[in-house]
Amino acid sequence: MTTVLVAGDDFIAPGLFSAALSESLPSAGLSFRTLRTRWPNEPFGPVGADGQGNGGVKEASGTEEQVLEALGDASVALTQMAPFTARVIGESPGLRFIGVARGGPVNVDLAAATAAGIPVTFTPGRNAAAAAEFAVGLILAAMRRITHADAALKEGTWRGDYYAYENAGLELDGATVGLVGYGAIGSIVARVLRAFGAHVVVSDPYADQARAHADGVELTALEDLLRRSSVVSLHARVTPETRHLLNADNLALLPEGAVLVNSARGELLDYAPLPGLLESGRLGALALDVYDIEPPPADWPLHKAPNVITTPHLAGATRQTADRAALSTAGEAARFLRGEPLRHVANPEVLTGSRP
C-alpha cells in the first residue's frame, strides 16, 4: 500500500490529484491523505522570518505544521502550493517523491529535497493555452477599446465618439505585432494573431530560426521590433538579463499610438515611464495582468491614466489549466511508482538510487 498526500487548494482541489493518480494506477493499492488550503486573495508576500516566504520557499499556501500533520507516513506528495520546506522534508524521512503542479517548484526547498534524495517534478506548459488566449484577449480589448466602452455604457455614457477617426480602434488584420519571447505561450499567440491577418515579428535570442520560419513569423532584434510594431506583447522569461527588458530608452522607439501588453511577468517591464508615455500619446493603450508590485498601491499613477486595462494576474486561471496540471503531476507520480523515467525533474541528479 502506497500512501499519497494530495495537498490541494481552491484552484487544484485534492480530488483532482487523487482521481488522476487513481486512473493512472487503478490497481496500485493507493491510500490518500488530504490537505486543502485556501487560494490567497492577495498576492504572495514574505511569510517566514527570513523574508523569503514560508520557511524559505516562495509562493506557498498553508503552513509547515499543516503539511507535516497531513503528510504523516505518506511517501508520495502531490501539491500545487503547499510549502515543502527544509523543515518539512527533514521531519518526513519516509517521503520519496514530490510532484508540483506548477511551471516551477518554487514552493519546495529544492536543495533540501536534493540532499534527501527526493526527486521533485514540475509541469511546464500547464497554462500555455490559457495564458496565450488571455494575452490575445488583452490585445483585442486594448486595440478596440472594449473594456472602456463597456464601463462607460454601464455608467450611462454612449461612446459614439469612438467613431471619430482619431478615437477609433485598430485592427489586427494587416498590423505588425511584436512578441518579446517565443516559448510555448508566445508561439500560440503568434498562431492566433496570424489567423487574424497580423504580421508577427519576434525577438527571442533562444528562438529556433527554422521553427520561426516554419511558423511564418519573422525573427528580429528587440530594437527593430519596437520600431516596427503597432502592438507589442511580452512573453519572455524573467532572468537577470531580462529584468526591465523594456524600459524608458527602448520604449521611446515605439511608433506613435502603439499598444503594449504584459501578461507574462512584471519584472520584464519598467513601469516608471508608462504614465508619461501614455500622456504623450507614444502609447495609445496599455493592458496589464502583471505588475512590478502586486497588487499595485492605491496611489499607483496608472490607476488614473487613460486607455489602461488592468486585471489581477488572471492569465492562467482556467479550469483546463487545473485539470491539465493535476493530470501531469499524477502522471509523473505514476511513472515514479512504476520505476519509469520521469519527464520533468527539477533536480535530476537525485534519480540514481532514488527509485522505489
Side-chain angles (χ1 to χ4, degrees), residues 38 77 82 96 104 134 166 175 224 241 244 256 266 302 309 328 333:
R38 295 298 304 271
R96 295 185 294 134
F134 199 87
E166 62 272 17
D224 181 62
E241 293 73 28
H244 287 183
E256 192 78 7
L302 290 173
I309 298 170
S328 177

Side-chain angles (χ1 to χ4, degrees), residues 175-269:
T176 295
V177 181
L179 304 182
V180 181
Y182 199 63
I185 297 170
S187 60
I188 298 173
V189 172
R191 185 173 73 239
V192 176
L193 295 177
R194 291 189 69 246
F196 274 99
H199 175 62
V200 179
V201 295
V202 170
S203 174
D204 186 335
Y206 304 103
D208 180 78
Q209 179 75 48
R211 178 194 174 194
H213 179 75
D215 290 347
V217 305
E218 176 188 350
L219 288 179
T220 189
L222 179 61
E223 290 74 14
D224 181 62
L225 179 150
L226 293 173
R227 288 190 184 96
R228 296 167 55 193
S229 301
S230 57
V231 181
V232 174
S233 185
L234 305 186
H235 303 284
R237 293 183 179 275
V238 174
T239 68
E241 293 73 28
T242 61
R243 185 179 182 275
H244 287 183
L245 183 64
L246 269 63
N247 50 60
D249 291 338
N250 56 27
L251 287 171
L253 301 174
L254 288 168
E256 192 78 7
V259 173
L260 177 61
V261 175
N262 187 11
S263 56
R265 287 290 182 266
E267 298 93 326
L268 295 171
L269 179 61

Side-chain angles (χ1 to χ4, degrees), residues 1-4 6 16-32 75-78 96-97 326-340 342 355-356:
M1 176 72 68
T2 299
T3 302
V4 180
V6 286
L16 288 179
F17 286 126
S18 55
L21 187 56
S22 296
E23 184 177 346
S24 297
L25 296 170
S27 58
L30 302 174
S31 172
F32 291 102
S75 59
V76 171
L78 309 184
R96 295 185 294 134
F97 173 89
L327 285 169
S328 177
T329 307
E332 290 281 55
R335 280 184 283 276
F336 176 82
L337 292 170
R338 289 194 296 256
E340 298 171 359
L342 302 175
R355 310 312 300 165

Side-chain angles (χ1 to χ4, degrees), residues 79-105:
T79 186
Q80 179 182 227
M81 310 296 292
F84 280 82
T85 63
R87 176 191 167 196
V88 169
I89 291 169
E91 295 182 19
S92 307
L95 186 61
R96 295 185 294 134
F97 173 89
I98 302 172
V100 179
R102 306 174 73 178

Side-chain angles (χ1 to χ4, degrees), residues 5 7 9 35 37 57 59-62 67 79-84 107-108:
L5 170 65
D9 50 57
L35 170 65
T37 58
V57 300
E59 297 186 13
S61 174
V67 176
T79 186
Q80 179 182 227
M81 310 296 292
F84 280 82
N107 54 312
V108 176

